Amino acid sequence: MTDTATANATTPDPDVVDALRALANPMRLQMLLWLRDPIRNFAGMETIADPLEVGVCVSHIQAKAGLAQSTVSAYMAELQRAGLVRATRVGKWTHYKRDEQRIAQFVAALGQTL
């Protein structure tokens, strides 16, 4: 095995590193967990779009988290960059939904990495 091949075999996948970095923050992890069951976790909040199809409005995530809107937006943007959530604009509001396919790929890649 060449030095390059050895380095590639032991270098973590950058996508796995990005996802782990995003999940290292307890509140970002909590938000991702809330989005797993948006009907239950955001019950009683008036929606303008189907939370299962489109996702949860950032204002609802903010209300549940008790954080500033800018902080929640930054946290959700980090999860989006890591490929764990998808954002959809509905009017002037941004909705977030888990990307289950990418999460499954991350879990599989993590299993192979470790």
Side-chain angles (χ1 to χ4, degrees):
M1 203 175 205
T2 66
D3 289 337
T4 304
T6 302
N8 288 339
T10 60
T11 302
D13 180 335
D15 291 338
V16 171
V17 173
D18 289 344
L20 288 171
R21 186 177 297 119
L23 295 174
N25 177 291
M27 183 51 73
R28 285 194 296 258
L29 177 58
Q30 182 64 64
M31 291 172 179
L32 191 64
L33 292 172
W34 288 336
L35 292 175
R36 187 176 205 177
D37 187 357
I39 300 299
R40 186 184 78 190
N41 291 310
F42 297 94
M45 295 186 179
E46 190 172 328
T47 62
I48 62 170
D50 183 347
L52 294 175
E53 289 295 318
V54 179
V56 176
C57 182
V58 73
S59 64
H60 292 140
I61 299 168
Q62 175 201 359
K64 188 165 181 80
L67 299 171
Q69 186 274 332
S70 59
T71 301
V72 172
S73 291
Y75 283 179
M76 296 310 296
E78 182 70 22
L79 290 170
Q80 184 180 10
R81 280 190 297 276
L84 301 171
V85 299
R86 290 187 311 245
T88 303
R89 295 284 294 184
V90 178
K92 63 180 181 174
W93 294 278
T94 302
H95 290 69
Y96 289 96
K97 179 180 177 177
R98 289 168 51 109
D99 188 332
E100 296 298 345
Q101 182 178 357
R102 292 285 305 268
I103 291 171
Q105 289 170 348
F106 160 68
V107 170
L110 183 61
Q112 291 174 351
T113 300
L114 297 180

